[in-house]
Amino acid sequence: MSTRYPFTAVVGMDDLRLALLLNAVSPAVGGVLVRGEKGTAKSTAVRALADLMPEVPVVAGCRFSCDPLSPDPQCPDGRHEGSSGASRPARMVELPVGASEDRLVGALDIERALAEGVKAFEPGLLAAAHRGILYVDEVNLLHDHLVDVLLDAAAMGASYVEREGVSVRHAARFLLVGTMNPEEGELRPQLLDRFGLTVEVAASRDPEQRVAVVRRRLAYDDDPAGFAARWADEERQLRERIALARELLPQVRLGDAALRQIAATCAAFEVDGMRADIVMARTATALAAWDGRTEVLPEDVRQAALLALPHRRRRNPFDAPGLDEDKLDQVLEESGGQDPDGDDDPDPEGPDGGPDGGPGGGPGGLPPQDGGPREQPADAPGPELPRQPEPERPARAEDPEREPAGEPAASGPGREQAAVGATEPFRTRRLDVPGLGEGADGRRSRARTAHGRTTGARRPQGALGKLHLAATVQAAAPHQWARGRRGPGLVVRRDDLREAVREGREGNLVLFVVDASGSMAARKRMGAVKGAVLSLLLDAYQRRDKIGMITFRGSGAELALPPTSSVEAGAARLAQLPTGGRTPLSEGLLRAHEVLRVERMRDPSRRPLLVVVTDGRATGGPDPLGRAHRAAGLLAGGGVASVVVDCEAGPVRLGLAGGLARELGGTAVTLDELRADSVSALVRTVQGRPVRGGSSAGRDHDHVNREKAA
């Protein structure tokens, strides 16, 4: 086994180290989510925690780590009364992002279960992580079906494996630790809430601290065992302190005043549900035990709020996580606590002389490291977050809403207007790709998936997935006499097994091609366009799509956002998008063709959906509209499903977007028809045919789902 990097050798990152140590003291806190940019030693710190955890007493020979003092009466390995106990180190089990469901929950031998009535069960990662740590690197990239399993296990403290009426259950209580890079996409809210604490990490901007990181890492790489030996004393002391804090934890008193502060804080920040209150209470209690106290103080409540609330305040994926510390201090003071910075504190330096109230001066009692500054000083820049859109400026007094016949004078060639803010996002109708795909699980287009409704049966292709019981029995039935069956029970061979063919939905690559030219630059119009794109981005987040964004204006097109799972990055690019200049529609479509060609080689199973947001105009060069239509034909010839969002406004409309949609072999929808609850969409649903007139004409290949908005 390779030597892990010592936990005490990690430079800085005080909040991360404190959050991990609090979970080591009190696993009931509920785990940690570590958010941060790449290359910040997130995984190194998490893996180092395992060596600090106390040993776990287990029933000898039990594959499910039953506690000898209170064994699980339903353990698949049988009842353990009178069994001998043994101790082993706490396990850290890593869940790969691409793991199968059977690898996570365990595999049941269906052939033996049908033929012999034996529950031959091979435990999975959840069983191995019981009473230990389950670590998920890049947890935001975890497939939906694995997230569902984790949610069930975390909620019930047990894992259930069901295969056609054969059921196995075992305990699965673990400390869930995840790391993620927000640039690659966010977590589902349900899983986000399952993490007790969250911390943001970023590389230090202090040169001295960066030098210390490099020196220690090089020393570790040269001689891992020798490096670990040099930190053995610090590791032992920290391990002993964790053990002492665990012993003290049951004696810590959470007074009514502290409990009122917790409740008032959660109410003031409008967090959903009651889990935040419970996590804050457990965290504050663990902080007191970690500092060697038996009373929870106001500073414990404040630190608990900073760790437990930021990720619970988000209402949509475009909200930046975080907590207003000034508001937090005000709430704590008004709810009866002492102002952490006020004169009511009898010892401003903390009970042990440290500025943060902990022995040795670090937050929560973390020891200082070579006297160096903290990893994240107050003025250090954090991860780049989506900018808030600028407030929309009032239109010019003269003719504020009229659509000009040509390009606006203020937005002509060479003239650029500053970015405008988007209107409020709305719920969009589902746009999907026709046909049946085989891409990654998602919520947009129809596809053959591992989960969903059963549509047929087939011979297993590799390991047996979901058994199709009726088809298996039907395949085995004609051979029972030849196989010597003389009594009850079915004689099943491996060739008889059939797995279910299921149909669900997949995630797609939604590539936005946004017209940012002068013809789109009227402020009220561009704000509505950005609001529509923002709504489609939110829809893509909910449907587990990858997204990309191309913008075109002036003399060319730009790949503003390469295909990614981060809708926050898309929102940030959209907020900063300026407008003005000519309309190089053909260049935007050709750039889309090139991007999709490259992505098809990278991920051939993920089908694309092209969303062109434009009024259909094209200017610049000879025959601009003809070149645009030829570029559209190139995309149509490649079988790309397309939707044109027609942004044309005003009483006189040219219907150019409808013509572009026909060349793309797709459909055109107006901004109003894009809304799930629009009147025009309702009329189309009732009548069962496209609405005639404007940009809605000629939709013979309409891929928009008319039956319902999901």
Side-chain angles (χ1 to χ4, degrees), residues 250-271:
Q251 305 172 37
V252 176
R253 178 179 175 272
L254 180 65
D256 290 341
L259 200 51
R260 279 194 298 271
Q261 284 185 311
I262 291 171
T265 302
C266 293
F269 284 101
E270 299 180 350
V271 296

Side-chain angles (χ1 to χ4, degrees), residues 62-386:
C62 178
R63 299 175 297 167
F64 301 88
S65 302
C66 282
D67 188 343
L69 298 180
S70 56
D72 182 4
Q74 301 180 44
C75 177
D77 280 357
R79 304 178 68 86
H80 298 304
E81 286 79 359
S83 301
S84 59
S87 293
R88 61 161 177 77
R91 291 174 180 163
M92 172 172 284
V93 177
E94 295 196 32
L95 172 60
V97 169
S100 66
E101 185 175 342
D102 283 348
R103 182 74 185 97
L104 178 60
V105 302
L108 190 61
D109 192 333
I110 297 297
E111 184 178 359
R112 292 189 62 191
L114 292 176
E116 306 173 27
V118 176
K119 294 182 181 180
F121 181 69
E122 183 64 31
L125 296 178
L126 289 180
H130 179 47
R131 304 177 66 204
I133 303 171
L134 181 62
Y135 172 48
V136 189
D137 193 13
E138 306 294 351
V139 63
N140 51 323
L141 303 182
L142 203 62
H143 289 300
D144 272 3
H145 64 283
L146 298 182
V147 171
D148 293 337
V149 172
L150 278 182
L151 288 174
D152 290 342
M156 298 183 294
S159 174
Y160 293 84
V161 183
E162 303 281 350
R163 293 291 188 274
E164 304 298 337
V166 181
S167 176
V168 174
R169 174 216 167 271
H170 65 82
R173 291 183 295 275
F174 46 82
L175 181 63
L176 183 61
V177 180
T179 55
M180 60 174 283
N181 182 351
E183 295 177 356
E184 298 172 338
E186 281 293 343
L187 274 177
R188 284 172 57 179
Q190 297 94 328
L191 183 57
L192 192 63
D193 189 51
R194 287 293 173 184
F195 287 96
L197 311 179
T198 185
V199 292
E200 296 274 349
V201 297
S204 172
R205 302 301 185 255
D206 176 41
E208 292 299 323
Q209 200 166 72
R210 296 176 77 99
V211 167
V213 171
V214 174
R215 287 191 183 279
R216 292 185 186 182
R217 186 69 210 191
L218 292 178
Y220 170 77
D221 290 341
D222 289 342
D223 182 12
F227 183 83
R230 291 196 293 273
W231 291 88
D233 288 342
E234 287 82 353
E235 292 281 290
R236 176 183 52 78
Q237 293 172 14
L238 193 57
R239 196 177 295 111
E240 290 174 354
R241 184 175 175 184
I242 292 173
L244 291 174
R246 280 195 168 196
E247 293 178 5
L248 184 62
L249 185 64
Q251 305 172 37
V252 176
R253 178 179 175 272
L254 180 65
D256 290 341
L259 200 51
R260 279 194 298 271
Q261 284 185 311
I262 291 171
T265 302
C266 293
F269 284 101
E270 299 180 350
V271 296
D272 295 331
M274 295 297 297
R275 184 173 285 115
D277 303 62
I278 297 171
V279 171
M280 272 190 67
R282 290 170 174 167
T283 304
T285 303
L287 279 162
W290 177 246
D291 282 346
R293 292 183 273 105
T294 56
E295 186 79 17
V296 173
L297 301 179
E299 54 262 34
D300 298 326
V301 176
R302 186 179 192 277
Q303 182 67 53
L306 293 174
L307 293 173
L309 296 188
H311 61 301
R312 292 186 164 89
R313 296 190 59 246
R314 304 187 70 190
R315 292 296 183 269
N316 66 64
F318 306 133
D319 292 339
L323 212 61
D324 184 342
E325 295 194 31
D326 292 336
K327 179 180 178 180
L328 174 61
D329 292 336
Q330 180 182 356
V331 171
L332 292 175
E333 186 176 5
E334 291 176 352
S335 59
Q338 297 173 342
D339 186 348
D341 300 320
D343 296 330
D344 293 333
D345 190 343
D347 184 3
E349 293 299 316
D352 295 288
D356 292 287
L366 284 174
Q369 296 186 343
D370 303 332
R374 294 182 59 180
E375 175 72 5
Q376 293 174 287
D379 59 349
E384 182 179 350
L385 298 173

Side-chain angles (χ1 to χ4, degrees), residues 20 109 175 319 404 441 465 527 530 549 599 611 648:
L20 292 172
D109 192 333
L175 181 63
D319 292 339
D441 286 351
K530 285 190 174 183
M549 185 181 298
E599 286 302 310
V611 179
E648 194 172 25

Side-chain angles (χ1 to χ4, degrees), residues 407-408 411-412 515-522 525 553 579-583:
E407 294 188 355
S411 308
D515 186 347
S517 64
S519 66
M520 300 282 290
R525 184 173 167 195
R553 54 184 288 273
T579 57
R582 296 190 179 276
T583 312

